[in-house]
C-alpha cells in the first residue's frame, strides 16, 4: 500500500522575529539585487555576514528561499554563492 503524503502547504508563524538581546546591525550595503548585511551575534560573540538576494522584479510578491550555510558560516569556500548559481536563479 503506498504511503500517503500531505500536500497541503504549511505556513510558518507570520510573527516578526525579535533579535537576541545584545544583537545589532553592524553594516548594510545595497546593490541592485543584493543586500550585504553584517550583524553582531552575542551568541557567537562575533560579527556574522549575511547576503540577501532579491528577485529582479520586485513589483510582484515572490517566494522566499532560505539558503543556510554550514559550520563555516559561509566564510569558507563551502557557501551557496561559491558553489551554486543561486544569484542566477533570482536574476
Amino acid at each position: 500500500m503506498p504511503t500517503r503524503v500531505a500536500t497541503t502547504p504549511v505556513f510558518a508563524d507570520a510573527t516578526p522575529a525579535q533579535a537576541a538581546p545584545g544583537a545589532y546591525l553592524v553594516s548594510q550595503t545595497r546593490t541592485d539585487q543584493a543586500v550585504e548585511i553584517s550583524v553582531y551575534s552575542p551568541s557567537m560573540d562575533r560579527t556574522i555576514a549575511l547576503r540577501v538576494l532579491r528577485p529582479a522584479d520586485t513589483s510582484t510578491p515572490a517566494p522566499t528561499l532560505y539558503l543556510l550555510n554550514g559550520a563555516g558560516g559561509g566564510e569558507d569556500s563551502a557557501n551557496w554563492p561559491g558553489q551554486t548559481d543561486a544569484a542566477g536563479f533570482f536574476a
Side-chain angles (χ1 to χ4, degrees):
M1 177 173 257
T3 303
R4 296 184 64 103
V5 178
T7 57
T8 303
V10 177
F11 298 99
D13 183 2
T15 305
Q18 297 295 317
Y24 58 89
L25 180 66
V26 174
S27 67
Q28 178 175 331
T29 305
R30 291 179 182 263
T31 62
D32 288 339
Q33 195 175 354
V35 181
E36 304 286 338
I37 301 171
S38 293
V39 294
Y40 175 75
S41 167
S43 300
M44 298 179 76
D45 193 27
R46 67 186 184 110
T47 299
I48 305 298
L50 307 167
R51 177 180 293 153
V52 178
L53 296 174
R54 301 183 50 161
D57 179 8
T58 58
S59 65
T60 59
T64 301
L65 176 62
Y66 293 93
L67 303 174
L68 305 176
N69 290 309
E75 295 177 359
D76 54 10
S77 63
N79 58 50
W80 287 97
Q83 300 294 318
T84 69
D85 186 24
F89 177 80
F90 289 96

